[in-house]
């Protein structure tokens, strides 16, 4: 994965008031940490940050953060946004070793058509949309894709069922479910009503005679 250069400035003041002043000036407060080195308070220009993170790799971009005359290879570990305005409030950069694996979170994309689920008037419930994986920086995937064509109603797919790219391994519980074939509540109600109508027709046929009843014996 190609590196993205980003310039950082040191010497920013800490505190909420100072951070607001930075943001009004088009900058984002940040910290740089990791690999046993000192944590450094920095700031980056918002438009440069957007440019670095709007490429195909997104938040998993490998960033060459330039601090004074030093270059620090890092990834975005956390990006905080305002809950309403989506304004970037703060960003954490974590230094990484280019010769070691790193842990990142990537999108999980389902491919294929679960025809048996569709034929049963069901739907595929994707219960996991991102996966945490471990890989060397050159092997970090933009996303993980997995085929759901064999999914049926009442069955599920686990992380262990995913065919991961070479050099990429999942982090966490491999038995965790990421997709389930289900019947929706509205479909269940529709099928229940159909079943009730069928049961009624079986008991009262079109000729008006009840099924399973016997005429009384004239001698009785």
């Amino acid at each position: 994965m190609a590196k993205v250069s980003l310039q950082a400035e040191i010497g920013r003041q800490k505190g909420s008031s100072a951070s607001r002043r930075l943001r009004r000036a088009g900058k984002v407060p940040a910290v740089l940490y990791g690999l046993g080195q000192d944590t450094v308070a920095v700031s980056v220009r918002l438009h440069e940050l957007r440019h670095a993170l709007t490429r195909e790799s997104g938040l998993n971009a490998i960033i060459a953060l330039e601090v004074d005359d030093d270059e620090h290879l890092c990834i975005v570990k956390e990006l905080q946004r305002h809950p309403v305005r989506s304004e970037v409030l703060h960003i954490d950069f974590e230094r990484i070793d280019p010769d070691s694996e790193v842990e990142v979170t990537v999108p999980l994309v389902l491919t294929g058509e679960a025809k048996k689920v569709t034929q049963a008037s069901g739907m595929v419930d994707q219960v996991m949309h991102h996966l945490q994986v471990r890989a060397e920086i050159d092997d970090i995937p933009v996303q993980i894709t997995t085929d759901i064509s064999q999914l049926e109603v009442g069955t599920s797919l686990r992380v262990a069922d995913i065919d991961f790219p070479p050099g990429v391994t999942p982090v966490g519980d491999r038995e965790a479910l990421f997709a389930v074939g289900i019947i929706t509540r509205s479909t269940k109600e529709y099928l229940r009503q159909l079943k009730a109508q069928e049961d009624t027709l079986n008991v009262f046929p079109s000729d008006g005679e009840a099924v399973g009843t016997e005429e009384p014996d004239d001698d009785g």
Side-chain angles (χ1 to χ4, degrees):
M1 182 178 292
K3 295 186 299 184
V4 180
S5 296
L6 182 64
Q7 185 71 43
E9 300 176 11
I10 63 172
R12 72 171 176 87
Q13 295 181 335
K14 298 181 181 180
S16 56
S17 297
S19 294
R20 284 194 294 269
R21 288 194 297 271
L22 272 176
R23 288 190 284 269
R24 284 197 294 268
K27 299 179 182 180
V28 179
V31 294
L32 171 66
Y33 64 91
L35 294 182
Q37 301 179 37
D38 293 338
T39 298
V40 183
V42 299
S43 64
V44 295
R45 296 189 178 278
L46 179 58
H47 73 276
E48 294 180 0
L49 178 67
R50 284 175 175 167
H51 178 70
L53 301 183
T54 52
R55 305 186 180 208
E56 186 182 31
S57 51
L59 289 177
N60 291 327
I62 304 301
I63 297 175
L65 193 67
E66 299 175 12
V67 183
D68 282 346
D69 295 327
D70 296 327
E71 181 180 281
H72 300 262
L73 201 62
C74 60
I75 59 174
V76 173
K77 196 63 176 180
E78 184 176 1
L79 187 147
Q80 300 175 16
R81 292 185 180 273
H82 190 281
V84 177
R85 300 192 299 270
S86 294
E87 174 188 9
V88 180
L89 301 178
H90 190 275
I91 189 165
D92 291 1
F93 295 105
E94 182 182 20
R95 298 183 186 94
I96 59 174
D97 182 347
D99 298 321
S100 300
E101 292 183 333
V102 296
E103 291 185 11
V104 295
T105 301
V106 296
L108 176 60
V109 178
L110 308 185
T111 62
E113 181 183 357
K115 293 184 178 180
K116 292 184 179 180
V117 175
T118 304
Q119 291 168 357
S121 300
M123 62 174 288
V124 176
D125 183 15
Q126 184 174 356
V127 297
M128 186 184 299
H129 294 268
H130 292 82
L131 280 174
Q132 191 172 9
V133 299
R134 182 185 296 111
E136 294 186 358
I137 60 175
D138 290 335
D139 294 327
I140 295 175
V142 174
Q143 63 186 25
I144 297 294
T145 60
T146 186
D147 183 74
I148 60 168
S149 300
Q150 301 305 312
L151 191 65
E152 301 181 23
V153 169
T155 65
S156 57
L157 295 172
R158 308 163 301 153
V159 173
D161 297 321
I162 299 175
D163 186 15
F164 286 88
V168 180
T169 56
V171 177
D173 185 9
R174 297 194 179 207
E175 297 301 311
L177 304 181
F178 67 84
V180 182
I182 64 172
I183 295 291
T184 63
R185 184 174 299 178
S186 58
T187 301
K188 285 182 179 179
E189 177 61 21
Y190 173 70
L191 294 176
R192 188 193 66 79
Q193 292 176 0
L194 282 182
K195 181 64 166 57
Q197 291 176 4
E198 291 176 357
D199 291 344
T200 300
L201 290 175
N202 289 333
V203 174
F204 297 100
S206 57
D207 61 4
E209 294 183 1
V211 175
T213 60
E214 296 182 359
E215 296 184 0
D217 189 346
D218 290 340
D219 295 333

